[in-house]
Amino acid sequence: MTIQTEHHYIMRNDDILSGEPIIMGTRTPVRAIVELWRLGVNPEEIPLHLPHLTLAQVFDALSYYAD
C-alpha cells in the first residue's frame, strides 16, 4: 500500500524498502539523506552525493526527519 505523507516529496510504499519513508519517484530512503547530514554534509551539498535529488527534496527529507 502506498501512503502519501504530509510532506510533498516523501511517501511510504510497503513494496519499496519495506515501507521505509522514501523520496517520491526514487528508491532513496529519507534515512540516506539524514545519515549524510549527520556526518556533517551540508544540505546544499547532498545533491552532489545523490545527484538524482533536488535541493527541495533534500530539505523536505530533513524536515520530515525533524518532525
Side-chain angles (χ1 to χ4, degrees):
M1 173 170 56
T2 301
I3 301 170
Q4 177 67 39
T5 67
E6 293 180 12
H7 291 261
H8 184 73
Y9 295 106
I10 310 300
M11 64 171 278
R12 299 175 76 131
N13 183 330
D14 292 339
D15 296 329
I16 302 173
L17 299 176
S18 301
E20 185 174 349
I22 61 170
I23 303 299
M24 192 177 309
T26 75
R27 292 181 60 87
T28 305
V30 169
R31 172 183 40 83
I33 296 166
V34 172
E35 287 174 357
L36 284 170
W37 176 69
R38 292 186 73 190
L39 286 171
V41 178
N42 290 325
E44 294 83 5
E45 296 172 354
I46 291 175
L48 299 175
H49 297 271
L50 301 169
H52 61 285
L53 298 181
T54 66
L55 190 54
Q57 290 170 317
V58 169
F59 277 113
D60 197 32
L62 294 173
S63 174
Y64 178 86
Y65 170 73
D67 282 348

